[in-house]
Amino acid sequence: MRGKRSKQYRKLMQQYGLTFGFREPYQILVDAQMIQDTDRFKMDLITSLERTLHGKVKPMITQCSIRHLYTSPLPSSQKEALINTAKAMERRRCGHHTLEAPLSALECISNVLDSKGQGTNKNRYVVASQEEEVRRHCRGMRGVPLLYVKRSVMVMEPMAERSVSVREGIEREKFRAGLRGRGLRGGGKRKREEEDSAAEVEKADHGAEGGAEGDRAIKRMKTKGMKGPNPLSVKKSQKVKTGPRDDDDEQLDSDMKIRKIAGSEELDSMVLDIVEAPLGEAQDSLVKRKRKRKHKSSKEEALRMANQISIEATE
């Protein structure tokens, strides 16, 4: 089988599967003439069917087709080989075995495909027939893949017009359903219609109870103004502590006052020492004080430094 034709057949069976629900193993109705032609062309019937349909197959034959093989004007050896091939397939009961003469392939297969005359392939059969009348009748039904042999090559017919119309209708319905779903999710017009209908229902309910006040409440619409800033980008406001002061706060304030007092006393002692000392010693003390200044705010350190400066000044 050529690659291009093989891709076409695979795509065609995918379309049958999506539209009409065909799945593996495919059920194939084979007539007596198909078995005779494949034997004449030295073809393996099951292998050819699987290669054409690109999947596993389950060949089936009706009781009328087997009776046609028994009554065919062929040599006994060839007839026996064909009957054995047919017996290896699954028997499809058509209900015509009680008749004296078997029905034709057209009548039997059409009755198996659509016994109620609704024009549908309910059981999803694939028809493999060499008779043109059978294939012409099956083209008028929806969802019937057709196979035949031409010069030792298995051929699949394109999808019939009636099946194509069904597939296009299903695709259009899916497209409309997608548009409706998209309108319900994000469509503004659809949303306004739903809001109007909800407002009418609410108006009817309030009209029976509230009268004019309910009408005014319904007519009031939400005004859209400027949006505020992003709360994540706004600096948070500092919370002022307004509660009662606890013991820790009072202790902290007292410590700070003590440090301020110690600092002021140190400053006063330094100024007094500088004023009382001679000019040269005062300058030296200032220079030395600058070298040895340490930023400590404890009371003991301040007193120690004041004593050291006074000693230096007396010397």
Side-chain angles (χ1 to χ4, degrees):
M1 184 184 297
R2 294 182 180 271
K4 185 176 181 180
R5 188 166 65 246
S6 176
K7 291 180 181 179
Q8 291 177 355
Y9 294 166
R10 183 187 297 110
K11 184 178 180 181
L12 190 58
M13 289 309 299
Q14 289 177 356
Q15 292 177 357
Y16 276 114
L18 294 174
T19 307
F20 301 102
F22 280 81
R23 61 185 181 275
E24 298 183 22
Y26 301 113
Q27 300 182 113
I28 303 175
L29 288 177
V30 183
D31 62 351
Q33 191 64 35
M34 173 65 74
I35 296 176
Q36 294 178 16
D37 290 348
T38 53
D39 183 73
R40 180 163 56 91
F41 292 126
K42 307 298 181 182
M43 294 174 59
D44 189 352
L45 180 59
I46 298 177
T47 304
S48 301
L49 292 173
E50 290 180 349
R51 186 170 58 250
T52 304
L53 298 179
H54 295 277
K56 296 181 180 180
V57 298
K58 184 168 67 172
M60 309 174 74
I61 189 170
T62 61
Q63 295 170 339
C64 294
S65 297
I66 292 179
R67 294 174 68 181
H68 290 159
L69 292 176
Y70 277 107
T71 58
S72 61
L74 294 174
S76 59
S77 59
Q78 185 178 1
K79 184 187 298 185
E80 186 177 356
L82 296 177
I83 292 173
N84 292 332
T85 303
K87 287 182 177 180
M89 302 179 184
E90 184 176 341
R91 186 74 59 87
R92 177 62 172 87
R93 302 195 178 200
C94 58
H96 305 146
H97 61 282
T98 57
L99 302 177
E100 294 181 0
L103 297 179
S104 62
L106 174 62
E107 296 175 349
C108 182
I109 292 177
S110 62
N111 188 17
V112 171
L113 290 175
D114 186 18
S115 59
K116 297 182 180 180
Q118 297 178 354
T120 57
N121 185 9
K122 182 179 179 181
N123 296 318
R124 302 177 183 86
Y125 288 118
V126 180
V127 177
S129 177
Q130 289 294 100
E131 297 186 11
E132 180 63 27
E133 294 181 357
V134 176
R135 298 200 301 271
R136 186 185 303 111
H137 176 76
C138 292
R139 292 189 196 104
M141 301 174 64
R142 295 188 291 272
V144 182
L146 299 174
L147 301 174
Y148 65 95
V149 175
K150 183 177 181 180
R151 295 180 182 178
S152 71
V153 177
M154 185 77 69
V155 180
M156 179 187 293
E157 289 190 2
M159 189 176 290
E161 295 182 359
R162 192 166 185 182
S163 300
V164 171
S165 62
V166 173
R167 179 174 59 84
E168 291 177 352
I170 293 175
E171 290 180 355
R172 284 195 299 269
E173 185 64 26
K174 290 180 180 179
F175 181 72
R176 292 171 184 170
L179 290 179
R180 287 196 295 269
R182 186 175 63 180
L184 291 175
R185 286 193 300 271
K189 186 174 180 181
R190 188 79 177 182
K191 186 177 181 180
R192 286 197 297 271
E193 292 177 356
E194 291 180 356
E195 290 177 355
D196 295 341
S197 61
E200 291 178 358
V201 173
E202 188 176 357
K203 182 178 179 180
D205 296 339
H206 283 277
E209 297 178 359
E213 294 180 358
D215 296 341
R216 286 195 298 271
I218 293 169
K219 290 180 180 179
R220 189 182 301 112
M221 297 180 66
K222 182 179 180 181
T223 57
K224 293 185 178 180
M226 294 181 63
K227 295 182 178 180
N230 187 0
L232 299 178
S233 63
V234 177
K235 185 178 179 181
K236 295 183 179 180
S237 59
Q238 298 290 338
K239 295 183 178 180
V240 181
K241 189 173 182 180
T242 59
R245 296 171 62 85
D246 52 1
D247 297 338
D248 295 338
D249 295 339
E250 293 179 358
Q251 183 66 27
L252 180 62
D253 293 343
S254 61
D255 294 342
M256 292 179 66
K257 290 179 181 179
I258 292 171
R259 290 173 185 176
K260 288 181 180 179
I261 294 170
S264 61
E265 291 178 355
E266 181 184 356
L267 182 60
D268 293 341
S269 62
M270 288 173 61
V271 172
L272 182 60
D273 295 337
I274 292 170
V275 171
E276 292 178 354
L279 181 60
E281 294 179 358
Q283 291 178 354
D284 294 340
S285 64
L286 288 174
V287 172
K288 290 179 182 179
R289 180 70 184 90
K290 286 182 180 178
R291 288 198 204 103
K292 296 181 180 181
R293 181 176 295 175
K294 295 182 180 180
H295 298 281
K296 293 184 178 180
S297 58
S298 63
K299 183 176 179 180
E300 293 80 6
E301 187 68 21
L303 294 175
R304 187 181 64 79
M305 292 179 66
N307 295 331
Q308 185 178 358
I309 293 172
S310 61
I311 293 169
E312 291 176 357
T314 56
E315 291 177 356

